[in-house]
Amino acid sequence: MAIRFTLNGDETTLDVDPAKPLLWTLREDIGLPGTKFGCGAGLCGACTVHVDGVATRSCITPIGLIEGQSVTTIEAAGADPVGRHVVAAWCALDVPQCGYCQAGQIMNATAFLHEVPEPTDADIDAAMAGNLCRCASYTRIRAAIKDAAHKAKEA
């Protein structure tokens, strides 16, 4: 079945099983390895992408559900002005430790800052609670989100 959607700004048509998870479609059929497999149950956030700007767990989202929608992956996070500030803050504050969860963290943080451009620590903790980091870099993640929010406001 042909699925049509926009991927990182480009119109895309794929002939795939509509039940296949978006995560595996991105990694196996399209060749975008940035989105990570974590738990496979939508619980850890490693697979987070944006679907029409909303942070979405791609491991539990069938590709058939995104027909006509816009998907953004970590590979295009820097194309968005807020995403660019988030990525820059992640690098400047040396957030990643092992790095495995960081793509999902950055995608969730970017969607969150679009909704709440001036977050408090409590806002950040609540918004990021569903993105797990086994290296426990939560303090640096919070600092990077605050830094990105500040720089996005100045821009």
Side-chain angles (χ1 to χ4, degrees):
M1 175 179 174
I3 309 290
R4 291 176 186 79
F5 60 102
T6 302
L7 176 62
N8 296 335
D10 295 326
E11 294 298 319
T12 303
T13 302
L14 289 176
D15 188 14
V16 295
D17 178 352
K20 186 173 188 175
L22 174 58
L23 169 67
W24 296 115
T25 302
L26 294 169
R27 292 180 62 85
E28 296 175 347
D29 300 313
I30 301 174
L32 293 177
T35 304
K36 304 300 184 202
F37 173 76
C39 65
L43 302 173
C44 74
C47 67
T48 303
V49 298
H50 296 170
V51 176
D52 285 344
V54 177
T56 301
R57 304 297 199 240
S58 64
C59 71
I60 58 170
T61 303
I63 186 72
L65 291 181
I66 66 152
E67 171 76 30
Q69 299 189 66
S70 178
V71 175
T72 305
T73 67
I74 189 67
E75 286 85 355
D80 173 87
V82 173
R84 193 169 26 256
H85 288 297
V86 171
V87 170
W90 241 251
C91 294
L93 298 176
D94 201 20
V95 172
Q97 193 164 330
C98 85
Y100 194 82
C101 69
Q102 299 305 305
Q105 301 275 0
I106 288 169
M107 296 307 289
N108 196 44
T110 299
F112 166 64
L113 287 177
H114 276 286
E115 291 178 23
V116 184
E118 296 182 44
T120 64
D121 285 350
D123 294 334
I124 294 168
D125 292 346
M128 300 302 290
N131 283 76
L132 304 180
C133 174
R134 62 183 171 193
C135 303
S137 60
Y138 299 111
T139 303
R140 291 193 310 265
I141 289 170
R142 185 185 316 122
I145 292 171
K146 291 181 86 166
D147 184 68
H150 179 73
K151 290 192 172 130
K153 184 178 176 184
E154 288 179 344

